[in-house]
Amino acid sequence: MTRPADAIKYLIVPFTRGAVLELGATQGDKLFPHFLTVSDLGDVKDALDDLSSFEDAKCDAVVASHTGVHDVFGAMLEWWRVLAVGGYLVLHDALAQHFSGRFLAQR
C-alpha cells in the first residue's frame, strides 16, 4: 500500500540518521524500520501535539507527514522541543504549505 509519505521517502534519507520520530505513522507503516512512532512506546497517552513522554532534545529528526493536527503551530512547538540541536524537522504535504513550501528545517 502506498502512502503519501512514500513520495519523499528517499529524499529525506540524508536528514534522518539516528533517533527519528515519525509522526502520523503506526508501527506497521513506518517509512523505515529504525524510525520510532508514538505507538512504539506501548501504552502511551501522547497525541501528536503532546509528546510529554519524550525528553527534550531526544530525537535527531522528526518527520511529520499527513498528521491531521488542528493546531499546527502548537504541535510544531512540541516537535521542536524533542528535536536535538543540529537535528531536522521534516514536514510533508499539508504542513509544508504553512512555511512557504519548505519542508525541511534544521535546529
Side-chain angles (χ1 to χ4, degrees):
M1 180 170 96
T2 303
R3 301 181 313 133
D6 291 337
I8 64 164
K9 181 174 183 174
Y10 297 106
L11 297 174
I12 65 173
V13 168
F15 310 105
T16 55
R17 306 279 190 222
V20 179
L21 176 61
E22 183 179 358
L23 301 167
T26 61
Q27 256 179 326
D29 71 350
K30 296 185 271 190
L31 287 173
F32 293 101
H34 74 281
F35 284 12
L36 300 170
T37 66
V38 173
S39 63
D40 286 331
L41 299 175
D43 185 22
V44 63
K45 63 179 172 59
D46 295 322
L48 297 178
D49 57 354
D50 175 15
L51 302 174
S52 56
S53 62
F54 284 87
E55 299 172 23
D56 292 355
K58 182 71 173 175
C59 301
D60 298 305
V62 175
V63 177
S65 176
H66 294 80
T67 59
V69 295
H70 298 290
D71 179 9
V72 173
F73 296 103
M76 284 195 50
L77 288 173
E78 186 68 353
W79 304 343
W80 198 258
R81 179 189 64 78
V82 301
L83 190 63
V85 173
Y88 291 93
L89 176 60
V90 179
L91 305 175
H92 181 238
D93 196 43
L95 294 172
Q97 73 182 345
H98 294 285
F99 305 95
S100 304
R102 295 182 61 197
F103 75 96
L104 182 67
Q106 184 175 20
R107 182 167 185 176

